[in-house]
Amino acid sequence: MRGFSHIEVVVSADSIDGNGLDTVLVRNGCLSMEMTGLDVVLDLMPKGSNVLVSATGVVGNDTIHHLSHLIAASHPQVAVDLSQVKELSRVSDSPFRANPNLYGIRFPHNLAAINPEAFAFCPSLVSVELPGTVKTVGAGAFKGCTALTRLSFADPVGWKFMNEHGVASPAEDLSRPIVNPSYFTENDSPYVNVEIFK
């Protein structure tokens, strides 16, 4: 994930949930060590530091909710890479909503939808990468994400939204990640309070 420090924590779903081996791998450049518990690792990081958490294995809805809770309670800002997880096609509710320490997120390649207000009011959220499998982004998904500067759509073509007359209109400029965050975060945006879909 761009713009991130070299500290990476590699976790399995079991180590997030505490249901299995509670060992995580911490990497910093060519150095690596195993530690016990993602919560312990995040507590040891200095306040304001940046950490990349890369998850692997089968990750379910409860795991995502638990991961969000750990990030919200942590000292560092955390980017989450879920691109290697399996069987996560939808997340119920909006577990990352108003998470103060979420810095960035990369989704698995089978995710179908982003919930309404999924990341609303995440003040530290800078980078979001949406895979081509996402066909719906719910209303207000990034509302109030004042730090968001990179919203990347793997498949930026063919998106629509319902305008004020109930007619599906093309959503424009989604292929320009430097421009498109303003469409989803600013109060006067035509997209901030509407769902976009394919």
Side-chain angles (χ1 to χ4, degrees):
M1 202 166 282
R2 260 195 295 199
F4 227 70
S5 70
H6 295 289
I7 299 172
E8 179 183 15
V9 182
V10 181
V11 298
S12 69
D14 289 342
S15 64
I16 296 170
D17 291 340
N19 293 332
L21 293 174
D22 204 21
T23 302
V24 298
L25 179 65
V26 180
R27 294 181 187 152
N28 188 351
C30 61
L31 301 173
S32 64
M33 66 172 12
E34 288 189 352
M35 295 184 70
T36 303
L38 179 58
D39 54 343
V40 172
V41 172
L42 293 177
D43 280 345
L44 290 174
M45 298 296 166
K47 187 175 177 90
S49 63
N50 295 337
V51 177
L52 173 61
V53 173
S54 299
T56 61
V58 177
V59 171
N61 191 60
D62 290 344
T63 303
I64 295 299
H65 281 262
H66 190 68
L67 176 60
S68 179
H69 175 74
L70 291 176
I71 292 169
S74 73
H75 300 295
Q77 291 185 331
V78 179
V80 179
D81 184 350
L82 300 173
S83 63
Q84 301 302 310
V85 305
K86 300 173 186 166
E87 299 183 19
L88 184 66
S89 60
R90 185 151 188 129
V91 177
S92 69
D93 304 320
S94 299
F96 289 106
R97 187 183 193 281
N99 191 312
N101 299 317
L102 183 66
Y103 181 90
I105 191 158
R106 180 181 293 152
F107 295 100
H109 298 290
N110 58 340
L111 190 72
I114 303 297
N115 293 339
E117 296 199 4
F119 300 96
F121 308 110
C122 289
S124 301
L125 185 62
V126 170
S127 175
V128 177
E129 296 180 28
L130 299 174
T133 54
V134 170
K135 303 300 180 200
T136 305
V137 177
F142 305 104
K143 177 172 56 177
C145 295
T146 54
L148 188 63
T149 57
R150 185 167 186 268
L151 178 56
S152 175
F153 287 79
D155 184 10
V157 180
W159 290 88
K160 297 177 181 150
F161 72 103
M162 289 292 179
N163 65 22
E164 63 274 7
H165 306 294
V167 177
S169 299
E172 299 173 0
D173 277 333
L174 299 186
S175 62
R176 299 175 60 200
I178 300 303
V179 175
N180 69 33
S182 65
Y183 289 143
F184 294 92
T185 60
E186 294 176 2
N187 288 334
D188 59 354
S189 156
Y191 304 145
V192 73
N193 289 315
V194 299
E195 175 183 276
I196 65 166
F197 55 90
K198 284 201 164 213

